[in-house]
Amino acid sequence: MKVTATAPSNIAFIKYWGKKDETLRLPENASISMNLSNMNTITTVEFSGKYKKDSVIINNKRNKKDKERVIKHLNRIRKISGIKEKAKVVSETRFSIGTGSSSSAAGFAALSLAGVKAADFDMSEKNLSILARQGSGSACRSIPDGFVEWLKGKNSKTSYSYSLYPASYWNILDIVAVVNKKKKEIKSTKGMKNAKTSSFYKTRLKRINSKIKFLKLFIKNKDFVSFGHLIEAEALELHSIMLTCNPYLMYWLPNTVLLMHLVRLWRKEFPVYFTINTGQDIHIIVEEKNKDKLLNKLKKVKEIKHIFINKPSKGARLIKNHLF
Ligand code: PMV
């Protein structure tokens, strides 16, 4: 059967950084995110006896490393569903891959949903998120709708994501300012392995549950200023861990730092905050009512190569238009 799914990328407000189980991708801490309406992946999967081997085409290219990771995921789907046939996978991501925009989150969420349905297998949202998590940790947060929490869990069955609130709950935006289209040098998977070498990592883990409690309260109350302060401090804490591990990681480029300063300056006029993942691009979070104010400011920054305007979005879902 041929099935197509689309899934959003997501931006973490409380970040996932560090695994307690590498193979199962079990996180050291819980995390909280929002799905992004304008950064999606579309994936078509077909299992069929006519295919002699698995084939994987991502953005019109065949890449050996990506293929291996996708085939591993197809094998998980084959194991769960009992299907034996080989598959053809075609995937399109319409935003820069590997620059810290969590393209693997969108990719593995779409692949999980399309793959399971193409194998004619039924799965709950919870189990789909457990499956997606094994492809890429943050992908489990792209399965449910809107604002999402990924529970740390004690084992594979208890580490999954669920929706805290639907996309329509809160009119906030994530405006991503792309400052460089170059791929990041160190992928999250590799970067995370060294988290423990930072002497601040233990302290982070000790405080993270209380941070999560506060963040959930601020989202519940739609208290944008408290929310913004917390997520910006959280992003800076994540990057402090990266900067103090061995060997250290520095994802920021000069223009990333320029934008961090500008956001702080603009904050004198209206509430606006930033967060950053493993990449040079900056996610600027603003209430929808201040969208035009922010866009007017961004227009004047010549260092920005591209912007994506994201509303909160639904999670992974099936669509009718196949890619092949
Ligand atoms: O799931 P990965 O391997 O793409 O790691 C995601 C890491 C961060 O983006 C920095 C944080 C997060 O929770 O998304």
Side-chain angles (χ1 to χ4, degrees):
M1 210 194 327
K2 192 189 282 185
V3 175
T4 302
T6 180
S9 175
N10 66 73
I11 181 65
F13 297 134
I14 298 283
K15 313 285 188 187
Y16 145 58
W17 198 247
K19 300 185 188 77
K20 60 175 189 228
D21 185 312
E22 288 285 333
T23 324
L24 286 170
R25 288 192 155 80
L26 293 178
E28 287 281 6
N29 63 276
S31 50
I32 293 189
S33 63
M34 178 180 100
N35 285 328
L36 304 176
S37 64
N38 225 350
M39 300 175 95
N40 306 291
T41 294
I42 298 175
T43 302
T44 301
V45 180
E46 181 179 41
F47 285 100
S48 165
K50 67 185 175 196
Y51 300 126
K52 297 284 164 274
K53 52 184 188 178
D54 292 320
S55 73
V56 179
I57 303 167
I58 301 176
N59 288 346
N60 289 320
K61 286 192 195 107
R62 294 172 193 266
N63 169 303
K64 201 168 158 239
K65 271 219 164 133
D66 290 343
K67 183 177 166 186
E68 277 168 17
R69 205 163 155 191
V70 169
I71 291 179
K72 258 194 184 172
H73 208 58
L74 290 173
N75 288 339
R76 289 183 190 109
I77 294 169
R78 279 190 275 256
K79 198 169 163 194
I80 295 169
S81 66
I83 200 166
K84 297 270 178 307
E85 292 155 356
K86 299 290 180 196
K88 177 171 178 178
V89 177
V90 176
S91 188
E92 273 181 22
T93 293
R94 297 196 181 109
F95 56 97
S96 36
I97 297 184
T99 63
S101 311
S102 294
S103 50
S104 66
F108 279 95
L111 177 65
S112 299
L113 178 60
V116 162
K117 293 286 178 191
D120 204 12
F121 194 71
D122 252 339
M123 247 192 193
S124 64
E125 180 184 278
K126 172 178 164 183
N127 285 337
L128 257 181
S129 98
I130 290 172
L131 171 67
R133 189 202 72 224
Q134 294 168 67
S136 170
S138 54
C140 76
R141 294 189 311 238
S142 288
I143 299 285
D145 286 345
F147 296 83
V148 174
E149 177 173 15
W150 171 10
L151 298 171
K152 173 183 167 191
K154 286 196 165 63
N155 49 40
S156 191
K157 280 191 180 147
T158 51
S159 183
Y160 62 92
S161 295
Y162 71 99
S163 177
L164 288 166
Y165 299 100
S168 58
Y169 180 72
W170 200 11
N171 292 340
I172 60 171
L173 302 175
D174 173 8
I175 301 196
V176 183
V178 176
V179 296
N180 195 310
K181 293 197 175 169
K182 201 179 95 197
K183 276 201 178 195
K184 64 193 176 202
E185 275 162 27
I186 308 285
K187 288 197 169 186
S188 315
T189 308
K190 194 167 171 210
M192 259 183 228
K193 280 192 183 152
N194 280 337
K196 287 190 181 106
T197 61
S198 163
S199 47
F200 301 137
Y201 189 62
K202 265 198 185 138
T203 310
R204 167 173 172 76
L205 292 184
K206 257 191 225 151
R207 299 178 345 150
I208 200 103
N209 286 341
S210 121
K211 264 192 176 182
I212 288 178
K213 212 174 86 194
F214 277 111
L215 190 79
K216 278 160 82 171
L217 184 71
F218 299 151
I219 297 177
K220 183 177 173 213
N221 296 339
K222 300 182 187 170
D223 175 352
F224 187 71
V225 169
S226 308
F227 166 85
H229 271 110
L230 200 159
I231 65 160
E232 196 170 291
E234 160 65 359
L236 291 169
E237 183 179 294
L238 172 83
H239 285 266
S240 309
I241 303 279
M242 293 165 175
L243 287 166
T244 48
C245 62
N246 184 13
Y248 71 85
L249 297 164
M250 195 195 284
Y251 287 106
W252 302 342
L253 293 178
N255 286 336
T256 319
V257 180
L258 168 76
L259 274 148
M260 290 158 83
H261 282 288
L262 286 173
V263 168
R264 278 155 54 103
L265 197 69
W266 300 336
R267 196 143 70 214
K268 291 188 176 145
E269 293 170 44
F270 58 98
V272 57
Y273 299 88
F274 65 78
T275 181
I276 307 172
N277 281 348
T278 41
Q280 59 268 14
D281 300 336
I282 179 160
H283 293 247
I284 308 177
I285 315 293
V286 73
E287 289 162 293
E288 180 135 37
K289 63 180 183 203
N290 288 320
K291 175 182 168 186
D292 291 339
K293 272 190 201 154
L294 176 60
L295 290 178
N296 282 337
K297 302 270 187 208
L298 291 172
K299 259 187 228 155
K300 292 177 193 138
V301 185
K302 61 177 189 329
E303 287 81 1
I304 298 174
K305 305 271 182 287
H306 189 80
I307 61 166
F308 292 95
I309 304 174
N310 295 289
K311 294 181 177 189
S313 157
K314 282 190 170 205
R317 57 207 177 273
L318 297 174
I319 54 170
K320 292 208 171 76
N321 295 344
H322 302 310
L323 294 177
F324 64 92

